[in-house]
Amino acid sequence: MLTPQSPPASQAGAIKWLRENLFSGPMNTILTILGVGIVVYLVNLGLPWFLHSVWNANSLAECRSAITATWGPDAHGACWAMIRERWSQFMFGFYPNVFYWRPILALLLLFVALAPILFAEFSNRLTIAGGVVAALVVWLAASYGEWLPVGILAVVAAIAGLLAVQGTKWPHNLIWFPIVYAGIAFWLLWGGSIFTPIAALAGIVVGWLAFRILAPIAGNIVAVTAAVVAPVLWWYFGSEPVIDLLSRALPRVEPFWLPPVDSDQFGGFVLAFVIGLTGIAFSLPMGIVLALGRRSDMLLVKALCVGFIEFIRGVPLITLLFTASLLLNYFLPPGTNFDIILRVIIMVTLFSAAYIAEVIRGGLAALPRGQYEAADALGLDYWKAQRLIIMPQALKISIPGIVSSFIGLFKDTTLVVFVALLDPLKGITDAVRASIEWKGIYWEPYIFVGAIFFLVCFSMSRYSMYLENRLKREHR
């Protein structure tokens, strides 16, 4: 028997990989050499600029002087001292600095709210992440001398622990918090009476009660209509007197009241996250409803959904933003104060919902007819079939397209600069460059803001891939 021998050097290891992937043919070899040349050129062009960076300076003139003194009169370098000096403006806009703890706390609680939605199984990594969030909340409270963050976290932990003791397992012991978080985040960011978000959340409870009471009696259509109308009536007629009564009965101190912050003080990534996350949260369910309506057999419902989707898809987002900013007030009663950020959120949500509806419609069309026939064979009505069989499969198919729409929505938040809101890319950058100290700086703010946008969008993309792999049950 022949003694086993090692393969030739050209058929193993790195040399084999290079031959198969980079030099497998004449065209591949030319493209590899061309690509390496471009990379080398870009590195030679940009690397000295990064290596000559200055982090300690009070103006652009000081940055240039430091670069000249260290690297010579012909040297160029990045002035990251501008980010060091003005990072708070990029993060918070013109939000009052004594209240920075409020948007930071809203961000930390966002992770708590997302955990039961994004992760169905409890793990050691999730435990470590929860401990880090708790430690950051305590650090935030100690740094600003505000112990309200610890109180909120303690209440959330107590309710989740109580549900866990009663046998409610993860994530159901915390699944209630995403709904409550919407009111807490609004109260933290805008301030005012705590009873304003409580009254808003009470409208959801009113709609749920209307649906549960009327569904067995009058059917699903009447129940759904009542579930929509009842909260609107509560918000329009009932909530204001209740808020006024409770606000007058209790003192204007924490935890019943926070100093208000106007919307024109929002800016930077606080504004981008508020618009982006709210749009994402509301556009997905709205897109599902529009997709089902477009495939409906009822002519009126189908016509309305098709008309809405095609109109929104045929109009640029910036046109809708101008409509929200300038024209909407002409159709409202005199003296109506319709917050500009709320108007932008509504238009961004409607815009994104139209695109998500088409993505989900593609997922519904991809399902074989047998799935619908199986639901009919089981005796399921329309809504149960959609909830238990059709929609879970359609959403799984549509995950890449839905996440792509979310990423596009988050990046489109920079367009709000055209309606006089200070987005982080253009609005805050121009505000920083308007000061005499940083007049003339160009690349640094765009690179900094672009890097943060990349991290957020890349994280959404990676979670999309994780979710796709987790739901690939047919390949296991």
Side-chain angles (χ1 to χ4, degrees), residues 116-130:
I117 298 175
L118 302 182
F119 303 99
E121 299 176 355
F122 201 78
S123 63
N124 292 332
R125 292 182 179 180
L126 212 55
T127 304
I128 295 173

Side-chain angles (χ1 to χ4, degrees), residues 88-89 91-104 185-191 258-268 270-271 428:
S88 59
Q89 276 187 275
M91 294 293 112
F92 305 100
F94 293 95
Y95 206 89
N97 56 3
V98 294
F99 301 142
Y100 280 171
W101 64 271
R102 286 158 55 173
I104 295 174
F186 174 85
W187 179 57
L188 288 173
L189 293 172
W190 274 273
L258 288 175
V261 177
D262 295 331
S263 292
D264 57 5
Q265 295 178 284
F266 281 62
V270 167
L271 181 65
I428 295 297

